[in-house]
Amino acid sequence: MRRHVISVLVNDQPGVLQRVAGLFGRRGFNIESITVGSSEEPGLSRMIIVTRGDEKTMEQVSKQLYKLIDVAKVVDLSASPMVARELALIKVGAEPAERPEILGVVDTFRASVVDVGPNTLIVQVVGDSDKIDAMVELLKPYGIKELTRTGVTAMTRGMIRKQQP
Amino acid sequence: MSIQNVIASSESKDELRQRLLKPDEITGSEILLRTLLLEGVECVFGYPGGAVLYIYDAMYGNPDFKHLLTRHEQGAIHAADGYARSTGKVGVCIATSGPGATNLVTGIATAYMDSVPLVCITGNVATSLIGSDAFQEADIIGITMPITKHSYLVRDVKDLARTIREAFHIASTGRKGPVLIDIPKDVSNQVTRFEYPETISLPTYKPTLYPNKLQVDKLLAAIEEAKQPVILAGGGVVYADASAELIEFAEKTRIPVTTTLLGLGGFPSGHELWMGMPGMHGTKTANYALQNADLLISIGARFDDRVTMKLEGFAPRAKIAHIDIDPAEIGKNVPVDIPVVSDVKEALKEANTKARPAQSEEWIKQIQEMKEQYPLRYKDSDDELKPQWVIEMISETTNGEAFITTDVGQHQMWVAQYYKFKNPRSLITSGGLGTMGFGFPSAIGVQMAHPDKLVISINGDGGMQMCAQELAVCAINNIPVKIVVINNQVLGMVRQWQELIYDSRYSHIDLSGSPDFVKLAEAYGVKGLRATTKEEARAAWQEALNHPGPVLIDFVVSKMENVYPMVQQGCTLDEMIMGDSE
């Protein structure tokens, strides 16, 4: 059950996210994360879906997605070298005395502090999911008050290969 | 209104078209009606309500537009479905918002499972009220998303004509299916300049219609090597109008054919290469052939679990080739060695140019022997009417030239087994969803499309009561459907399962308290007849055939009859119970 990152180019229409997410649900495909935003082509949005499954499941995921009238293109990004990034905002308990220590962790991860409260900091970290997991682990001892993650967005490295439709 | 003038049109098609295409300032409702007519729609089936009143108002006094008022939205959509299956054209139904729309759900799912081209028009509350839980509001787009090929909510009247064009295109191309168009009430009353879009632009929708020639060559090479090949032909053959190509293909390659429930009629039942239906209630010959095949060619069939039964033991020795227009069907249930994504007709045409026979003469001989040794049979009786006998009697009188619609259950399987289908589209039945209530209203749609043909609707006493209200439609419009009720006073297929699998614990299957079907028919103004013996059955059936209008014939049959052969769930096709036929 490999982790797959799938890019789905869809018409920018109301209800498309529901169609795609619904398809995953009712066909019994798993969704670890799903993100949607605009793409390089006007009128088309790009969804990045992280899912797990064997090759047969992935083939079905792709074929079933193509059945949706609004789906233009489905690419398994994880089949080639890719860049995958996730953003997390972590509100961590930070009494003044603890702050230098926390800032040390933040620096090491090339994360940044985007808000300072009387006894909290908001840390913003960008990276692959493992890096964010590690950051969260390191910040846990200080007390995580709130945590939000965006889900993965991704693209293949270098030139896009011609994909089979 | 007689059935003839429902279809007839006074002016020529070209004149009508020019008049309809005129770029007037008109309302959304008028756009809808004009666009439907321009799409070649002859008759729509529907039921009015608040949210579609502008649409129905536009129909008032409109001599071009034919609408059949059913007594329930489910009746309307099954009728549209029957119309579509029997003609190959797109069926159209109209319902109002909320409960009207949700009453279509069963019919939409039925059409989706069996790939039937439908355009379902639903009204919705005004755009300003959408999302406010307004009176009779339902998110029908959200509700039907899993059971439509595509759907539209039209928020601007300017999009309406284009949307309807696209909906017809999507419904009727590629793997066919139902498309829903939800039209808010205010949109149906907004006025705009009508411009009929001549072209359709759907860049993200490109069904594959022509086969990859290398794959077809691979298939032909596999056929030449095969000693025990089998063709499994499904509904796709019928929908692609590829019967003639299939016959040519089977004859050229010398491969025996089994047709699934929806494929019945796609290959003539009298043909020497035909083996009957496969699967749970298939023939011993067809199931034996599947289990012993060295090459299985599925053509427009999707390896439904009622056909394959236990997947792990299905066609264990066969190399599998699969021709299907829907790429997602290939490899979905069964791993495929030779995939051919294509319209079935195009794939068979391509194959037929170079097809050579398999090494199958010994195999065909073996199949012929099995057919003789294990024909479908039942224990007949002179004391009570056997349902199989009734079906055989009907089959003999029509000689395969009628349209047959069925409901779902034992009678459906007996029709599949004992009626001799000769022509494609002559069996109209709910295969994938198995929808009770489908049989009778679908016959209304078939008869509307074929006013001069004999249309017979065969139902159980359970399913007949699920849409019996449509008797009124037959009576008032003089739609001369011959309505057969195979009446065993019980939910027969459920009874059979309870007997065989649940230790004869007959839980809630007794349909005592059903109406007197003859009186029910008469109450609606439909002729009613009853038969309890063979003699009565022959006489009643003849009287029904002679009667020019609709007739309901209540055949009171034996209660304990089972459908055999049967493969129980969890078993492979080898493990057949032959029952009474042994």
Side-chain angles (χ1 to χ4, degrees):
Chain A
M1 290 277 275
R2 214 163 68 81
R3 187 167 181 257
H4 294 262
V5 182
I6 300 164
S7 160
V8 188
L9 205 58
V10 297
N11 281 333
D12 186 9
Q13 293 281 339
V16 175
L17 177 62
Q18 194 186 349
R19 286 183 203 280
V20 171
L23 184 147
F24 271 72
R26 82 179 165 270
R27 297 264 172 202
F29 307 141
N30 158 57
I31 297 181
E32 272 185 21
S33 90
I34 184 165
T35 66
V36 199
S38 46
S39 75
E40 68 284 0
E41 286 193 48
L44 294 180
S45 298
R46 179 168 276 113
M47 294 182 185
I48 301 293
I49 302 169
V50 181
T51 181
R52 273 176 199 280
D54 54 21
E55 290 310 311
K56 187 177 176 288
T57 310
M58 282 309 113
E59 190 187 322
Q60 267 299 308
V61 166
S62 162
K63 284 175 168 176
Q64 294 292 343
L65 282 170
Y66 270 121
K67 279 182 78 164
L68 298 179
I69 307 296
D70 283 323
V71 169
K73 200 174 195 181
V74 182
V75 181
D76 186 352
L77 299 175
S78 41
S80 31
M82 60 156 191
V83 180
R85 291 290 179 269
E86 194 178 336
L87 181 146
L89 293 174
I90 308 160
K91 189 182 281 177
V92 60
E95 296 303 328
E98 295 168 317
R99 287 188 185 178
E101 223 177 287
I102 294 174
L103 288 172
V105 175
V106 169
D107 280 347
T108 316
F109 275 78
R110 298 187 189 208
S112 48
V113 172
V114 292
D115 179 69
V116 180
N119 43 17
T120 58
L121 294 175
I122 297 180
V123 176
Q124 170 189 295
V125 57
V126 176
D128 59 28
S129 304
D130 289 347
K131 175 177 166 178
I132 293 170
D133 291 345
M135 178 97 218
V136 170
E137 278 307 307
L138 284 173
L139 291 178
K140 260 186 191 163
Y142 304 101
I144 292 176
K145 309 289 180 200
E146 215 176 314
L147 170 71
T148 176
R149 295 170 73 149
T150 58
V152 174
T153 191
M155 59 173 66
T156 50
R157 292 180 184 275
M159 288 293 288
I160 290 267
R161 285 178 305 146
K162 270 265 186 224
Q163 294 290 338
Q164 293 295 315
Chain B
M1 183 171 62
S2 85
I3 181 162
Q4 273 75 18
N5 71 26
V6 168
I7 300 284
S9 169
S10 53
E11 65 191 325
S12 84
K13 277 191 175 164
D14 276 351
E15 284 165 357
L16 177 68
R17 198 176 162 80
Q18 287 315 312
R19 181 157 59 79
L20 295 171
L21 279 171
K22 221 172 129 213
D24 299 322
E25 297 274 332
I26 52 176
T27 65
S29 301
E30 287 161 332
I31 290 174
L32 171 67
L33 302 195
R34 279 204 199 183
T35 319
L36 290 178
L37 287 166
L38 286 164
E39 289 294 337
V41 173
E42 292 164 327
C43 179
V44 306
F45 305 86
Y47 203 101
V52 286
L53 281 182
Y54 287 118
I55 296 172
Y56 275 82
D57 187 58
M59 285 182 210
Y60 186 77
N62 185 331
D64 304 320
F65 199 79
K66 318 299 181 207
H67 174 278
L68 195 73
L69 172 69
T70 56
R71 294 300 181 270
H72 191 295
E73 287 86 353
Q74 190 179 354
I77 188 166
H78 290 331
D81 187 315
Y83 177 94
R85 289 188 207 226
S86 67
T87 59
K89 297 181 195 167
V90 178
V92 181
C93 61
I94 301 181
T96 192
S97 64
T102 55
N103 276 347
L104 293 181
V105 168
T106 301
I108 297 173
T110 305
Y112 184 72
M113 288 287 272
D114 289 349
S115 309
V116 178
L118 291 188
V119 168
C120 308
I121 315 270
T122 51
N124 208 332
V125 298
T127 43
S128 58
L129 290 173
I130 286 180
S132 71
D133 302 322
F135 176 66
Q136 291 196 331
E137 184 190 359
D139 172 17
I140 196 64
I141 296 279
I143 291 168
T144 58
M145 219 168 249
I147 51 170
T148 49
K149 186 172 172 188
H150 195 54
S151 48
Y152 293 93
L153 170 60
V154 184
R155 287 179 180 274
D156 187 334
V157 71
K158 291 190 182 69
D159 297 331
L160 189 56
R162 177 186 57 78
T163 301
I164 297 165
R165 282 277 274 156
E166 286 181 10
F168 273 81
H169 178 68
I170 291 169
S172 61
T173 54
R175 180 174 184 171
K176 299 168 174 70
V179 178
L180 186 132
I181 307 175
D182 199 24
I183 307 175
K185 185 169 184 176
D186 51 330
V187 172
S188 66
N189 191 37
Q190 281 163 6
V191 174
T192 191
R193 189 178 164 81
F194 174 58
E195 276 168 43
Y196 185 67
E198 287 301 332
T199 55
I200 295 164
S201 170
L202 283 166
T204 56
Y205 175 65
K206 291 178 256 141
T208 307
L209 300 180
Y210 298 98
N212 179 315
K213 292 192 177 182
L214 292 175
Q215 290 302 105
V216 175
D217 289 346
K218 241 187 183 173
L219 170 64
L220 294 176
I223 289 171
E224 283 184 49
E225 280 172 24
K227 292 187 174 65
Q228 307 199 146
V230 171
I231 292 170
L232 172 66
V237 171
V238 176
Y239 298 154
D241 291 321
S243 269
E245 286 78 5
L246 175 63
I247 295 168
E248 186 185 341
F249 180 68
E251 287 175 351
K252 276 189 172 165
T253 55
R254 301 293 296 157
I255 305 181
V257 179
T258 174
T259 42
T260 68
L261 180 63
L262 292 186
L264 287 171
F267 194 81
S269 59
H271 199 287
E272 60 144 349
L273 290 171
W274 189 66
M275 300 184 288
M277 188 174 72
M280 180 177 268
H281 296 296
T283 63
K284 182 144 183 164
T285 310
N287 285 350
Y288 170 85
L290 285 170
Q291 293 307 88
N292 291 284
D294 61 358
L295 173 66
L296 169 55
I297 309 169
S298 168
I299 306 179
R302 61 190 176 87
F303 296 109
D304 179 70
D305 54 278
R306 282 291 192 274
V307 167
T308 64
M309 301 311 293
K310 189 180 171 187
L311 262 181
E312 291 76 45
F314 174 70
R317 284 179 274 283
K319 181 186 261 193
I320 293 184
H322 192 172
I323 304 174
D324 205 298
I325 197 160
D326 181 357
E329 284 305 336
I330 290 173
K332 188 181 81 177
N333 297 336
V334 171
V336 172
D337 302 292
I338 308 171
V340 182
V341 178
S342 168
D343 177 75
V344 164
K345 193 183 182 88
E346 296 300 333
L348 288 175
K349 269 197 208 160
E350 174 68 26
N352 283 340
T353 58
K354 291 179 273 184
R356 290 166 52 81
Q359 302 166 38
S360 55
E361 289 312 314
E362 187 56 37
W363 175 236
I364 290 172
K365 217 178 111 200
Q366 204 183 327
I367 300 272
Q368 295 298 359
E369 282 168 14
M370 278 207 82
K371 271 165 74 172
E372 277 163 38
Q373 199 180 343
Y374 300 103
L376 289 165
R377 53 187 159 208
Y378 59 94
K379 277 199 195 110
D380 202 3
S381 160
D382 288 327
D383 304 329
E384 49 181 7
L385 210 46
K386 289 287 181 129
Q388 300 95 325
W389 182 91
V390 176
I391 307 296
E392 283 187 317
M393 178 193 72
I394 294 172
S395 183
E396 278 162 26
T397 55
T398 64
N399 196 24
E401 297 299 338
F403 285 96
I404 305 289
T405 79
T406 83
D407 212 73
V408 170
Q410 287 185 315
H411 72 277
Q412 179 189 33
M413 290 299 108
W414 286 317
V415 168
Q417 291 177 334
Y418 290 96
Y419 189 91
K420 306 261 179 293
F421 291 97
K422 282 206 305 210
N423 304 315
R425 300 193 183 280
S426 58
L427 171 63
I428 311 295
T429 192
S430 165
L433 197 69
T435 306
M436 281 177 74
F438 173 84
F440 170 44
S442 64
I444 293 174
V446 177
Q447 188 81 78
M448 290 304 286
H450 306 273
D452 303 324
K453 291 278 165 63
L454 176 60
V455 179
I456 303 167
S457 174
I458 303 178
N459 305 271
D461 45 329
M464 187 64 214
Q465 292 181 69
M466 286 200 177
C467 278
Q469 71 283 350
E470 305 306 335
L471 283 164
V473 180
C474 281
I476 205 142
N477 298 297
N478 195 27
I479 297 171
V481 174
K482 310 303 170 205
I483 307 152
V484 170
V485 180
I486 302 291
N487 186 352
N488 58 2
Q489 300 116 59
V490 74
L491 280 172
M493 193 57 97
V494 180
R495 192 204 56 74
Q496 175 167 342
W497 281 46
Q498 288 177 345
E499 178 189 325
L500 299 175
I501 306 164
Y502 296 88
D503 212 12
S504 296
R505 289 156 57 86
Y506 296 123
S507 179
H508 298 280
I509 49 152
D510 185 355
L511 291 179
S512 303
S514 295
D516 176 328
F517 286 103
V518 173
K519 283 189 181 159
L520 180 72
E522 285 167 353
Y524 278 107
V526 169
K527 188 181 179 72
L529 299 166
R530 177 170 294 114
T532 54
T533 64
K534 283 182 179 175
E535 205 173 305
E536 286 173 9
R538 282 201 196 90
W541 184 238
Q542 196 52 54
E543 191 178 346
L545 291 177
N546 293 342
H547 182 69
V551 191
L552 183 150
I553 316 101
D554 183 25
F555 290 101
V556 181
V557 299
S558 62
K559 196 169 177 174
M560 298 303 279
E561 200 65 22
N562 285 342
V563 183
Y564 290 118
M566 181 178 182
V567 180
Q568 291 198 22
Q569 273 189 322
C571 296
T572 62
L573 292 176
D574 311 287
E575 303 167 84
M576 300 187 79
I577 310 172
M578 298 305 282
D580 296 347
S581 61
E582 247 164 359

